Amino acid sequence: AKAESDGNHTQCPINGNCRNTPVEVFETRYPWLTKTYKIAPESGGHGRHRGGSGSWREMEALAPEITVSSFMDRHETRAWGLIGGAEGASGQLRIRKKGDDSWRTFSEVYGTVSPNKFADIQIQEGDQIRIVSPGGGGYGPPGERDPERVLEDVREGFLTVDEARDVYHVVLIEEGKGNWELDPAATDQARRVP
């Protein structure tokens, strides 16, 4: 997050090498089938301004054998929050071997020293990989976030109703199934309690 606004979601650094290539383009150039591509839930750090959310991508190998290398960061050390903001979520890299039900790290499956930094691992057709980029840290105390923005975050799926109440001290009431509205009086009271 920034001092005056929320962080950008699924942001690729200008000096990085991780483009946000559209699925349709990626699949025409590489032997992968994208099973899921979305904003990573609950990944941006809480704050007056929320940290940007990371991305969540799951892909299945379509070639008989593919060589995989990885050089990812923020899997152990999270992006820190500033001036009372919370850390962003860690990134993750997981593999699910064909016929296996569980997602595991490359260290668990292949014995790599690092779960997110390795080279020349051979995977087979039908194996799936999950890549979750880390979220950004929040800025400022969550209790100072505009309640209307918290309501919008809940409506857009960036926060749960429980997070709105427990982290941001914003009370929402349900008016019809899934239709949340702000309770200004209860929110004012919740924000007065230390």
Side-chain angles (χ1 to χ4, degrees), residues 39-86:
I39 291 178
E42 302 177 16
S43 56
H46 299 299
R48 178 184 330 122
H49 301 294
R50 286 188 310 100
S53 298
S55 63
W56 179 297
R57 189 183 300 242
E58 292 178 4
M59 304 177 299
E60 181 177 328
L62 299 179
E65 189 170 80
I66 297 176
T67 302
V68 175
S69 299
S70 172
F71 189 72
M72 298 176 68
D73 286 322
R74 296 260 178 238
H75 284 226
E76 293 181 18
T77 304
R78 297 170 171 225
W80 57 88
L82 293 174
I83 320 296

Side-chain angles (χ1 to χ4, degrees), residues 146-191:
D146 180 346
E148 290 290 342
R149 297 201 63 201
V150 174
L151 172 61
E152 182 180 337
D153 294 337
V154 169
R155 287 177 172 167
E156 292 185 1
F158 292 114
L159 296 175
T160 66
V161 173
D162 290 343
E163 286 174 316
R165 181 191 63 235
D166 299 339
V167 177
Y168 290 89
H169 310 295
V170 171
V171 180
L172 303 177
I173 51 176
E174 192 170 17
E175 294 186 356
K177 186 170 174 136
N179 182 26
W180 295 98
E181 295 294 338
L182 182 63
D183 184 333
T187 296
D188 288 345
Q189 178 62 30
R191 287 190 164 192

Side-chain angles (χ1 to χ4, degrees), residues 100-160:
D100 191 353
D101 289 335
S102 61
W103 290 96
R104 297 181 289 158
T105 67
F106 277 75
S107 297
E108 292 169 324
V109 176
Y110 296 100
T112 61
V113 174
S114 169
N116 52 300
K117 289 182 172 67
F118 53 81
D120 301 326
I121 298 295
Q122 303 300 314
I123 69 167
Q124 284 70 45
E125 186 173 0
D127 292 349
Q128 294 182 29
I129 291 181
R130 175 189 294 157
I131 303 168
V132 181
S133 65
Y139 185 95
E144 294 179 4
R145 187 166 179 81
D146 180 346
E148 290 290 342
R149 297 201 63 201
V150 174
L151 172 61
E152 182 180 337
D153 294 337
V154 169
R155 287 177 172 167
E156 292 185 1
F158 292 114
L159 296 175
T160 66

